[in-house]
Amino acid sequence: MLVLNFRDKIQVMKMRTRMAPSPTGEIHVGSIRTLLYDYALAKQSGGELILRIEDTDQSRYVKGSVERILKVIKDFGLNWDEGPEVGGPHSPYFQSQRLDIYKKYALELVEKGVAYYCFCDEDRLEKVREDQKRLGAVPKYDKFCLNLSKEDIEKNLKEGKPYVIRLNVPKDEMIEFEDAIIGKVSFPSNDVDDQVLLKSDGFPTYHLAVVVDDHLMGITHALRGREWLPSTPKHILLYKYFGWEMPKFVHLPLLREVDSTKKLSKRFGSVHAMGFLEDGYLPEALLNFMMFLGWNPGTEREIYSLEDFIKDFSLDKVQKSEMVAFDRQKLLWFNGMYIRNLPLEELWRKLNSWYKEYSKDKPKFSKSTEPFNLKVLDLVRERMKKLSEFNDLSEYFYEKPKVDKDAVIKFSENKDRAKEIIDNFISVYENVSSENWNIEYLDKISHEKLTEFSYKPKEAFMTIRFVVTGKDHTPPLFDVLGLIGKDEVLDRLRKFKL
Ligand code: GLU
């Protein structure tokens, strides 16, 4: 018997998903999580991902933000199939270039009697709001213009009076829909305002534009953050009035800080997708971490490539909860693990492009040769959790360190003993030939001398480590000395004066 489960069924239905950012500033990291799910659904079903720029609020438009949004999405490798730069059958993909379309549909609703012209000015609207507030009611438009006669409307339009078009929300109804994650959701229509659909500047509001475009662009699944849930009844009404089939609505849990019930906050670190890249997170680590922000495959597996995620992701394993914790420590762990496990050359390439594109600091390695840099990277990446830590972890390979004299003494009993250790090791290392200057030999000879002078390993090796590197935590000492080289190690030991 052939039993189709949910995943088999969605496999045969091509999904068209979309991401619809507004160019009002930086893109939130949560939008990348939503986009990741959009991407997985489109790819696993052989469908398409559409990118649409929702630039209908001209007052909130931030110059340069479209370019930054496109760049960050590309940097995460979540390329879209239709949209800006690539075009597609539903061009243009910028809402500001589709104004005629929205106007036509707004007028169609007026024609049908489910939307109406409103000529109220700001003073009147303000007064209505104040009165309602005084009575303890939730402020809503009072449908004043719904009662205007045909003649009044004609006259106002002829006089060129500014107007908006509003949705006529019915009274005393329940507006219901089935969310793919939350299940059945219902809103009393009396709580829904007569939403402005077309503004006086001729631009649509989000509500009209999103419905018209999702319909015209054939979107089958509308994924978005839970903050949009209260807007959905307006969209449901619009679909009903237009007589259009609705996409599946998919409201995803919002992201919150660990131990908090509030959304992500700058106080704890980045909240914007680009901020994480600037901080030195690898896009693939961030994606892997974000796969689990809502989705739970029900196994112990934590490491997923994008390819594997596309295969395994399904909406029926997404949590119903309103919020999920964005565990920054866990993200750091993911990132460190990706840094350690990437092929060395690939990590080196990523580090270089990070310095070029995102870093605020210049790399310290720019004057050294690539083979040397690769060896340094191979040593320090064990301790590296973010690309941005490379400079700090590797600086002593590239320049003489500043060494805190008082700190050196703390490793041995006193100043004289520290001095003696340094002098003895200078003579030890002076006698090592250049051919023998390698990890194994340095390890062997250093340990022999330790026994000869009866030093404790910690006091001798920490003293040498600290004088040569300026740090008390480094990769294994003889790896470090081997790589820095005989002349430079001796120079640092000789120049150090207590
Ligand atoms: N333009 C909305 C935003 O910037 C998109 C909401 C939606 O996906 O429906 O978040």
Side-chain angles (χ1 to χ4, degrees):
M1 192 178 61
L2 178 71
V3 182
L4 281 183
N5 64 26
F6 179 67
R7 297 234 328 118
D8 292 331
K9 267 191 253 164
I10 57 171
Q11 218 88 75
V12 295
M13 175 195 176
K14 277 190 177 209
M15 297 197 200
R16 281 178 62 85
T17 56
R18 88 310 192 256
M19 186 193 189
S22 299
T24 51
E26 296 291 330
I27 192 162
H28 193 270
V29 70
S31 300
I32 298 292
R33 187 277 317 263
T34 306
L35 177 61
L36 172 66
Y37 292 7
D38 276 322
Y39 186 85
L41 291 178
K43 296 292 156 193
Q44 70 178 207
S45 67
E48 291 85 26
L49 169 65
I50 289 94
L51 180 65
R52 184 175 70 223
I53 304 296
E54 299 203 326
D55 53 351
T56 55
D57 193 345
Q58 297 289 294
S59 63
R60 292 180 61 219
Y61 179 77
V62 174
K63 224 173 142 231
S65 59
V66 172
E67 291 71 20
R68 284 173 72 82
I69 288 170
L70 300 188
K71 173 170 168 42
V72 83
I73 295 176
K74 283 189 256 182
D75 284 354
F76 275 97
L78 301 171
N79 294 343
W80 54 97
D81 303 297
E82 294 175 26
E85 294 177 355
V86 299
H90 303 286
S91 288
Y93 291 90
F94 285 80
Q95 290 187 328
S96 61
Q97 295 167 24
R98 300 169 63 81
L99 300 186
D100 291 348
I101 302 176
Y102 309 121
K103 180 145 190 191
K104 171 179 155 251
Y105 282 107
L107 293 177
E108 184 183 314
L109 295 179
V110 174
E111 201 64 25
K112 285 181 171 169
V114 290
Y116 58 94
Y117 287 100
C118 170
F119 299 92
C120 292
D121 59 19
E122 207 25 66
D123 289 347
R124 176 167 194 279
L125 294 175
E126 182 60 38
K127 194 177 166 306
V128 172
R129 276 197 292 268
E130 286 306 315
D131 290 348
Q132 288 169 332
K133 264 195 223 154
R134 214 170 311 120
L135 295 171
V138 185
K140 256 175 35 173
Y141 181 62
D142 62 355
K143 290 183 184 279
F144 178 79
C145 286
L146 184 60
N147 303 318
L148 291 181
S149 67
K150 232 180 151 96
E151 294 70 40
D152 285 340
I153 296 170
E154 290 295 322
K155 187 169 157 281
N156 285 344
L157 289 177
K158 218 174 260 156
E159 282 172 7
K161 241 184 162 181
Y163 69 86
V164 299
I165 290 179
R166 285 184 185 274
L167 179 66
N168 184 12
V169 177
K171 282 207 175 112
D172 305 326
E173 277 185 19
M174 277 313 256
I175 306 172
E176 295 178 339
F177 73 99
E178 188 76 21
D179 185 276
I181 292 168
I182 309 166
K184 194 172 155 190
V185 188
S186 42
F187 290 89
S189 68
N190 292 354
D191 292 350
V192 182
D193 197 4
D194 275 8
Q195 177 64 48
V196 171
L197 301 175
L198 199 72
K199 294 179 278 184
S200 53
D201 60 3
F203 277 73
T205 54
Y206 160 68
H207 307 282
L208 175 65
V210 75
V211 168
V212 167
D213 284 346
D214 280 352
H215 169 70
L216 293 180
M217 295 180 181
I219 301 305
T220 60
H221 291 72
L223 277 68
R224 57 191 181 197
R226 191 85 170 226
E227 74 270 31
W228 294 104
L229 193 61
S231 299
T232 314
K234 297 170 186 170
H235 305 166
I236 304 292
L237 285 179
L238 283 169
Y239 278 104
K240 190 173 137 198
Y241 293 155
F242 281 123
W244 293 339
E245 196 187 326
M246 283 194 295
K248 197 87 195 137
F249 284 105
V250 186
H251 287 96
L252 298 171
L254 300 174
L255 309 183
R256 63 168 173 82
E257 299 290 347
V258 172
D259 300 328
S260 164
T261 51
K262 300 213 182 77
K263 41 185 200 181
L264 296 194
S265 150
K266 276 197 197 116
R267 268 194 308 132
F268 297 91
S270 300
V271 295
H272 297 131
M274 205 171 261
F276 285 92
L277 300 185
E278 283 164 359
D279 287 349
Y281 286 95
L282 291 167
E284 53 271 54
L286 198 51
L287 285 183
N288 194 160
F289 165 72
M290 288 202 292
M291 288 168 192
F292 299 100
L293 297 184
W295 176 67
N296 183 348
T299 63
E300 296 291 299
R301 179 172 175 187
E302 286 193 297
I303 307 305
Y304 268 92
S305 65
L306 188 52
E307 250 174 34
D308 288 349
F309 177 68
I310 291 170
K311 282 193 210 119
D312 279 13
F313 178 71
S314 71
L315 288 176
D316 57 347
K317 295 218 169 79
V318 175
Q319 268 162 248
K320 279 189 180 23
S321 50
E322 211 173 317
M323 292 189 133
V324 287
F326 185 95
D327 186 342
R328 292 176 188 269
Q329 287 310 314
K330 184 87 191 196
L331 170 60
L332 204 57
W333 174 84
F334 265 107
N335 209 50
M337 204 197 44
Y338 270 78
I339 287 179
R340 283 193 302 281
N341 292 338
L342 273 178
L344 188 62
E345 272 82 14
E346 200 179 324
L347 179 62
W348 173 241
R349 267 198 308 280
K350 283 177 192 286
L351 186 66
N352 273 281
S353 51
W354 181 78
Y355 273 111
K356 255 186 231 120
E357 298 196 30
Y358 285 113
S359 173
K360 292 187 181 81
D361 305 319
K362 287 206 171 47
K364 301 225 160 134
F365 55 68
S366 50
K367 288 194 196 82
S368 302
T369 63
E370 187 161 317
F372 179 79
N373 291 337
L374 282 172
K375 284 184 194 153
V376 173
L377 180 60
D378 200 20
L379 274 186
V380 303
R381 71 157 151 178
E382 289 302 314
R383 311 172 52 84
M384 208 166 126
K385 293 216 171 63
K386 294 192 277 181
L387 299 177
S388 49
E389 291 168 354
F390 182 74
N391 264 357
D392 191 42
L393 289 172
S394 68
E395 58 189 356
Y396 54 84
F397 286 104
Y398 299 107
E399 56 194 30
K400 291 199 193 314
K402 287 186 194 70
V403 185
D404 176 355
K405 290 190 182 177
D406 298 332
V408 175
I409 301 162
K410 75 176 183 249
F411 301 114
S412 51
E413 280 158 24
N414 53 48
K415 194 168 157 179
D416 289 341
R417 190 161 167 97
K419 251 183 168 158
E420 188 199 300
I421 291 171
I422 295 165
D423 287 343
N424 278 327
F425 274 88
I426 290 176
S427 355
V428 172
Y429 294 148
E430 274 172 346
N431 290 322
V432 178
S433 68
S434 303
E435 298 84 68
N436 278 338
W437 191 267
N438 58 52
I439 304 167
E440 295 72 33
Y441 190 75
L442 287 171
D443 189 325
K444 184 172 145 297
I445 190 91
S446 305
H447 277 94
E448 277 171 20
K449 292 295 159 184
L450 207 65
T451 327
E452 189 184 322
F453 297 123
S454 40
Y455 294 139
K456 288 184 228 91
K458 200 170 164 210
E459 62 172 343
F461 296 157
M462 282 307 286
T463 303
I464 301 301
R465 166 179 281 122
F466 205 78
V467 173
V468 175
T469 68
K471 296 193 190 286
D472 46 13
H473 282 92
T474 69
L477 179 61
F478 305 113
D479 292 56
V480 171
L481 299 185
L483 194 53
I484 290 179
K486 178 178 173 180
D487 293 347
E488 182 61 26
V489 167
L490 282 172
D491 194 46
R492 290 184 190 184
L493 289 174
R494 284 188 196 121
K495 283 195 176 130
F496 183 75
K497 297 276 175 276
L498 267 175

